Amino acid sequence: MSRFSAYKDAFPNAQLTRSDSGVLEVRFHTDGGKLVFNGHTHEQFVELFHQIGADPDNRVVILTGSGDAFMGAISPEGFDFFSPRGYDKIYREGKKVLMNILDIEVPMITALNGPVLLHSEYALLTDIILATPETVFQDKPHFDFGIVPGDGVNLLWPEVIGSVRGRYFILTRQVLDAAMAKDWGVVNEIVPADRLLARAHEIAEGIAALPPLTSSYTRIALTQKLRRIIDEGAGYGLALEGISAAEVARSMAAG
């Protein structure tokens, strides 16, 4: 069991605030600005979501970003894709972070304050997704690095938008704007940027007013299929990603 006071300031890339009603806002950032995702945040977010899920006083969780992007930048710092031990760490963290999000057994809202170019699977594991007109989706870094998109986007995008659309989205690095994302069922509402968090909290407070067991068990009931999908496929997808990373390493060494 976790207590908010013990973990609220423990994560350098997540600012946590909680209302008296138990609505927890998690704002991703790097030094107060737009998040730059790297190997350190990859490790950090495993424990972040674990602590959130272990705190019985959280009633609703809102995920959002900082600056002009939700997740739009990545750095190779802290990642070791190219050795067995290094990739084993990525593999273990990649599996665990997804299950830790699903183990947050209270309703979750994502407020997308801008582009989502990596780790869109975090948002797709939440229950309600709000976006701004500036929000776009793309799976960019995997093919930029020359590796398989096996970290969960391969499982969740075909599930959310359909098999054919999902495979096209991944393989072509399609840029999906907010309007099309809403038409395809990825986004529930498009909200002006200056109203985004207010709308997220409005929805969250309505959910927090439900009896605690009702809201919690509803999240559990709604995510059973996602649990099966992640449990069955995440490890395999990440293993394929690791094999492709080994091939990239070999090519780099040969060059």
Side-chain angles (χ1 to χ4, degrees):
M1 183 180 296
S2 296
R3 292 299 178 192
F4 188 56
S5 59
Y7 67 86
K8 67 184 291 288
D9 299 317
F11 302 101
N13 296 108
Q15 179 181 324
L16 277 59
T17 55
R18 190 167 70 189
S19 72
D20 291 341
S21 59
V23 175
L24 176 67
E25 180 184 308
V26 181
R27 184 174 66 83
F28 301 132
H29 70 94
T30 295
D31 297 326
K34 179 171 65 176
L35 178 71
V36 178
F37 196 91
N38 59 28
H40 307 301
T41 54
H42 194 267
E43 177 180 357
Q44 181 188 145
F45 289 171
V46 176
E47 183 62 18
L48 168 69
F49 293 127
H50 170 70
Q51 292 293 334
I52 292 170
D55 185 347
D57 294 326
N58 291 325
R59 296 291 314 282
V60 184
V61 176
I62 298 171
L63 304 183
T64 193
S66 303
D68 60 0
F70 178 74
M71 284 196 188
I74 189 168
S75 164
E77 180 188 355
F79 282 120
D80 176 7
F81 278 92
F82 304 132
S83 73
R85 291 288 185 182
Y87 193 77
D88 175 66
K89 180 175 183 293
I90 295 169
Y91 171 81
R92 287 184 289 107
E93 291 170 359
K95 287 196 302 179
K96 195 65 177 172
V97 74
L98 301 181
M99 291 309 297
N100 283 358
I101 293 172
L102 289 169
D103 282 341
I104 298 174
E105 295 182 338
V106 296
M108 298 186 70
I109 299 168
T110 301
L112 298 172
N113 55 302
V116 192
L117 307 185
L118 62 146
H119 287 304
S120 53
E121 72 274 12
Y122 291 7
L124 298 182
L125 290 173
T126 67
D127 307 300
I128 295 171
I129 300 179
L130 310 180
T132 66
E134 296 75 31
T135 299
V136 297
F137 296 89
Q138 185 186 28
D139 190 63
K140 189 175 189 302
H142 288 105
F143 283 172
D144 283 357
F145 288 136
I147 60 177
V148 171
D151 59 0
V153 291
N154 57 307
L155 303 171
L156 292 171
W157 277 98
E159 172 66 18
V160 171
I161 64 176
S163 178
V164 173
R165 284 175 173 171
R167 284 177 280 163
Y168 180 90
F169 173 80
I170 297 291
L171 285 167
T172 67
R173 286 178 268 192
Q174 180 182 13
V175 177
L176 195 65
D177 65 28
M180 186 173 288
K182 187 173 184 293
D183 286 344
W184 286 5
V186 183
V187 166
N188 298 108
E189 299 181 17
I190 301 174
V191 184
D194 61 357
R195 281 277 305 145
L196 179 69
L197 281 176
R199 178 58 179 150
H201 280 274
E202 180 183 9
I203 295 171
E205 293 293 346
I207 296 171
L210 293 168
L213 292 184
T214 298
S215 57
S216 175
Y217 288 172
T218 299
R219 159 77 170 170
I220 294 170
L222 291 172
T223 55
Q224 288 308 293
K225 185 179 181 182
L226 295 179
R227 282 181 173 275
R228 290 194 298 272
I229 290 170
I230 295 302
D231 186 54
E232 292 171 2
Y236 186 52
L238 284 161
L240 296 175
E241 186 172 315
I243 294 169
S244 67
E247 177 65 13
V248 171
R250 182 179 179 183
S251 300
M252 291 169 59

